[in-house]
Amino acid sequence: MEKTAFQSYCEYMGEMPDVSRHIPQPSLSERDRRWKMMRPMMQAEALDCLLVWGSDAQFGLCEANFRYLTAIPSQGRSLAVFPAEGEPIAFVGTGHDTFESLCYSWVKDVRTIPYLEDVAEALRSLDLGRSRIGVVGNTPGYWPFIEQYPIVPQLQSSFPEAEFLDVGKKYWDLQLIKSAEEIGLLKKAGEIAEKVYRALVENAKPGIRECELYAEMLRALVANGGEPNSMLLMDSGNPVFAHPKHPPVSTRTLQQGDMVVVEYHVKYAGMVTHTERTVSLGAPDEKTERLYRICQEAYQASLEHMYVGTTLRDAVLALREPVRREGLAYLECGYHSHGCTSGGYPSYNGTDEGTTEVADVIIKENMVFTQEVDLFDPKWKHGKGVVLADSFVVTDAGAQVLASIPTELAIV
């Protein structure tokens, strides 16, 4: 068989230097813990293999399931073939992207983009043509595009004697309770989130352009070890919407009296925290101050009612009580889980009608969530919005926020 360009380049390069120790990533012990959890689930479902998909869409949030298994960031689309016995195969990126994947030490067999024929060949090499194959594809929530190409239906046609089953929910269940190492990585992400916040309040001054303020926050994120594809949203002006916007960031110059709202994630070693804050350039008006006080009250209620043994429904009702009492409205006001992504299972952040399937989830120790409180007053015409959110871990003593960032309305 003719050598691929990647194989030829590997021969040209010779032995690659080991740079994995310079890349923040979970340990091999954490890898072994995760893989050992998957085997009983596979055995219970009589699965011979898992196909775990990912992509770099939505600021890399869609890589969650693939990265949980491999520790490798997605480059474009990605796929892990995880047999019931033996070593997994990771398909990720193009030839030159594969060199980046070699910086991660969990998976030995790393190959390029998962085209149909490549995946089919891998399944045949593992003698899986007549097996039960669990598919972990679309994440719950708002990213229905992880499987960017219709490879699964094509595989079903190529392997008519195999049985393909959707086991995404069972795979998510494995991720809910965090290990001590995972919580440690999330706390490190929280420390970086504090530095990003400092960059925000130290630079949010009249005369700076919105894009320059964004760049200062991004620099703090990356310079302190955060991954550059972490989500960073921002909006500024007078008024501002009750939710930051996606890039492109404007070149507008900030003025005295403006508000700035931000939502940002910090991804560190593949683990993600979430922060939202509101900044006022100069003293805010009384209506905005009142709105933010209700935002803080809801935020505090969310932490007080998120404890071991309660249900997600009861925690959400407590969070939303001040909002409903004051006749306010929200864009997001609830919880979603955190770990290798933001907004995975379970997520109870929208309307009650849309989240009944997770409402009765029992909160357990070492679960990690973010609560979001994005409020506005529907009675105001062209009114302002405010935001406040943090990630926290559930402990036997209650909710512990992962980043030490002031919750007051920042006035600069």
Side-chain angles (χ1 to χ4, degrees):
M1 182 182 296
E2 185 179 352
K3 293 178 182 177
T4 65
F6 178 64
Q7 289 170 329
S8 298
Y9 191 59
C10 285
E11 290 182 2
Y12 166 75
M13 290 292 293
E15 185 176 353
M16 296 292 293
D18 179 13
V19 297
S20 61
R21 58 194 171 92
H22 301 295
I23 305 294
Q25 58 188 293
S27 69
L28 294 178
S29 296
E30 176 62 22
R31 177 198 67 181
D32 295 343
R33 185 193 72 88
R34 294 182 188 179
W35 290 7
K36 285 177 182 177
M37 284 197 305
M38 293 177 193
R39 306 292 188 186
M41 181 271 284
M42 295 173 68
Q43 186 175 16
E45 298 297 316
L47 298 176
D48 302 294
C49 174
L50 292 177
L51 297 181
V52 182
W53 294 87
S55 85
D56 60 359
Q58 195 72 10
F59 296 94
L61 295 177
C62 293
E63 73 182 13
N65 291 326
F66 173 80
R67 191 156 189 187
Y68 186 77
L69 176 64
T70 68
I72 303 172
S74 288
Q75 303 289 340
R77 67 187 188 275
S78 50
L79 168 67
V81 180
F82 188 73
E85 296 182 2
E87 295 289 322
I89 301 169
F91 293 91
V92 56
T94 60
H96 52 278
D97 293 329
T98 309
F99 279 114
E100 298 174 12
S101 304
L102 296 176
C103 298
Y104 296 84
S105 57
W106 282 22
V107 179
K108 298 174 184 176
D109 190 347
V110 180
R111 308 181 188 182
T112 55
I113 286 178
Y115 291 109
L116 171 63
E117 58 271 20
D118 301 316
V119 180
E121 181 183 347
L123 293 179
R124 292 189 188 99
S125 71
L126 297 170
D127 196 24
L128 294 170
R130 297 179 176 86
S131 59
R132 283 170 60 90
I133 299 174
V135 178
V136 181
N138 295 339
T139 60
Y142 49 92
W143 313 299
F145 40 77
I146 288 181
E147 293 169 18
Q148 297 179 0
Y149 296 86
I151 294 181
V152 171
Q154 293 170 356
L155 283 174
Q156 291 173 324
S157 299
S158 300
F159 296 95
E161 297 182 66
E163 186 177 2
F164 292 81
L165 300 90
D166 184 347
V167 294
K169 167 62 169 58
K170 295 181 183 299
Y171 189 90
W172 274 102
D173 285 341
L174 299 177
Q175 303 180 49
L176 285 181
I177 307 298
K178 303 299 185 291
S179 68
E181 180 173 334
E182 288 176 315
I183 293 170
L185 294 174
L186 287 164
K187 289 181 177 178
K188 175 62 178 178
E191 293 172 6
I192 299 171
E194 296 166 20
K195 294 179 172 63
V196 176
Y197 176 76
R198 285 202 293 271
L200 166 66
V201 295
E202 289 172 4
N203 290 282
K205 301 290 190 298
I208 193 173
R209 293 183 298 165
E210 186 180 274
C211 56
E212 293 172 320
L213 179 58
Y214 186 97
E216 292 298 330
M217 294 179 67
L218 184 60
R219 184 193 183 284
L221 168 72
V222 177
N224 289 288
E227 299 182 21
N229 69 337
S230 304
M231 177 184 284
L232 176 51
L233 313 181
M234 176 183 289
D235 195 14
S236 67
N238 190 356
V240 292
F241 194 46
H243 197 285
K245 66 177 185 296
H246 286 245
V249 188
S250 81
T251 59
R252 174 185 172 277
T253 300
L254 271 60
Q255 309 290 328
Q256 186 74 7
D258 279 356
M259 303 285 288
V260 180
V261 290
V262 298
E263 173 181 342
Y264 63 91
H265 296 163
V266 171
K267 187 186 298 184
Y268 179 81
M271 302 298 289
V272 182
T273 61
H274 182 128
T275 304
E276 295 185 28
R277 289 296 186 271
T278 305
V279 178
S280 177
L281 275 63
D285 57 50
E286 291 183 2
K287 291 199 298 183
T288 301
E289 285 186 321
R290 171 184 170 272
L291 181 62
Y292 196 80
R293 283 197 301 271
I294 304 306
C295 191
Q296 286 180 297
E297 184 180 346
Y299 172 98
Q300 188 60 36
S302 75
L303 297 178
E304 292 172 357
H305 289 81
M306 179 58 81
Y307 51 83
V308 174
T310 192
T311 65
L312 195 55
R313 182 200 309 272
D314 288 341
V316 169
L317 289 175
L319 184 158
R320 293 179 179 174
E321 191 281 327
V323 180
R324 289 171 170 159
R325 183 193 69 221
E326 297 296 326
L328 302 179
Y330 61 84
L331 290 172
E332 295 180 283
C333 191
Y335 300 89
H336 53 255
S337 66
H338 261 255
C340 283
T341 191
S342 166
Y345 173 87
S347 180
Y348 194 151
N349 208 28
T351 62
D352 292 338
E353 294 77 11
T355 50
T356 54
E357 72 278 5
V358 299
D360 294 323
V361 168
I362 303 296
I363 304 304
K364 298 178 182 178
E365 188 175 4
N366 294 335
M367 286 184 172
V368 175
F369 289 92
T370 285
Q371 89 287 62
E372 290 188 278
V373 190
D374 301 344
L375 301 185
F376 64 98
D377 191 330
K379 298 185 291 293
W380 297 359
K381 187 174 182 179
H382 306 300
K384 299 173 181 176
V386 296
V387 303
L388 181 61
D390 276 316
S391 296
F392 59 88
V393 58
V394 180
T395 74
D396 58 1
Q400 181 183 92
V401 176
L402 293 166
S404 298
I405 299 174
T407 59
E408 293 80 12
L409 176 64
I411 302 174
V412 297

